Amino acid sequence: MTDLSKIFSAPFKGVKINEVLAEALSRNEEKILDLNRRQLDGGIGADGKSIGRYANFSYKNRFEPVDLLLTGKFRKEFTLGVKKKEAEIFSQDSKQKILERKYGKDIQGLTSSNMEIAGDIIEDDFSRIFFQALVINA
């Protein structure tokens, strides 16, 4: 007797889900990085809390929000690093470490609500890549 569960599950075993996720994230990198940039516009870190206050009002004619936008280079250099089971947002700008020391590591990364939005952003690509992998492994 044929085991139907093996027939139907076999194509799924060949799909490397981490690779599918990494490809979907890579295809949508700029959209995901823009979520982080918009968070910073509001002075919000990945933990959902305020990044802080500027020490000098005259620096930007305000104390809050700290948006980490002066020349724009720090934000333009954002990169989405995708590894096997995680993704990380970081800046390749030379000010990265200085800003992290001053404002904390949460200046890069998404809040939980923006993580949900990122999931919605990659959903279509993830599905397409996943089903293509299924067809190849069938």
Side-chain angles (χ1 to χ4, degrees), residues 115-130:
M115 289 286 279
E116 288 181 32
I117 294 169
D120 292 341
I121 288 170
I122 69 164
E123 183 177 14
D124 288 341
D125 282 320
F126 182 88
S127 296
R128 267 193 292 281
I129 298 163
F130 179 80

Side-chain angles (χ1 to χ4, degrees), residues 1-11 13:
M1 180 173 200
T2 304
D3 185 352
L4 292 177
S5 65
K6 288 183 181 177
I7 292 171
F8 288 106
S9 66
K13 290 179 182 176

Side-chain angles (χ1 to χ4, degrees), residues 90-120:
F90 60 94
S91 178
Q92 296 184 40
D93 184 63
S94 60
K95 294 182 292 295
Q96 160 95 16
K97 295 290 182 200
I98 296 166
L99 292 172
E100 277 186 357
R101 269 187 253 122
K102 188 169 186 172
Y103 297 107
K105 291 192 182 260
D106 284 330
I107 58 176
Q108 292 140 148
L110 301 177
T111 62
S112 57
S113 61
N114 274 339
M115 289 286 279
E116 288 181 32
I117 294 169
D120 292 341

Side-chain angles (χ1 to χ4, degrees), residues 10-12 14-15 128-138:
F12 292 95
V15 175
R128 267 193 292 281
I129 298 163
F130 179 80
F131 286 115
Q132 286 171 350
L134 275 179
V135 169
I136 291 169
N137 290 312

Side-chain angles (χ1 to χ4, degrees), residues 4-117:
L4 292 177
S5 65
K6 288 183 181 177
I7 292 171
F8 288 106
S9 66
F12 292 95
K13 290 179 182 176
V15 175
K16 296 176 181 167
I17 201 75
N18 291 337
E19 290 177 14
V20 172
L21 180 58
E23 179 61 25
L25 286 166
S26 294
R27 288 184 185 185
N28 293 282
E29 180 175 7
E30 272 312 305
K31 292 176 186 174
I32 294 167
L33 296 177
D34 281 342
L35 289 172
N36 198 170
R37 291 178 185 112
R38 281 184 283 193
Q39 267 179 215
L40 289 176
D41 288 342
I44 303 297
D47 60 359
K49 298 177 183 172
S50 171
I51 293 171
R53 294 173 49 97
Y54 290 117
N56 186 342
F57 184 85
S58 62
Y59 178 68
K60 290 195 102 174
N61 291 324
R62 65 174 195 256
F63 286 114
E64 294 181 286
V66 171
D67 60 10
L68 305 179
L69 179 64
L70 185 59
T71 66
K73 187 170 185 243
F74 174 72
R75 291 168 163 220
K76 285 180 196 164
E77 297 290 325
F78 276 3
T79 301
L80 182 64
V82 179
K83 298 177 185 172
K84 277 190 174 185
K85 294 187 178 186
E86 60 186 39
E88 175 185 22
I89 296 174
F90 60 94
S91 178
Q92 296 184 40
D93 184 63
S94 60
K95 294 182 292 295
Q96 160 95 16
K97 295 290 182 200
I98 296 166
L99 292 172
E100 277 186 357
R101 269 187 253 122
K102 188 169 186 172
Y103 297 107
K105 291 192 182 260
D106 284 330
I107 58 176
Q108 292 140 148
L110 301 177
T111 62
S112 57
S113 61
N114 274 339
M115 289 286 279
E116 288 181 32
I117 294 169

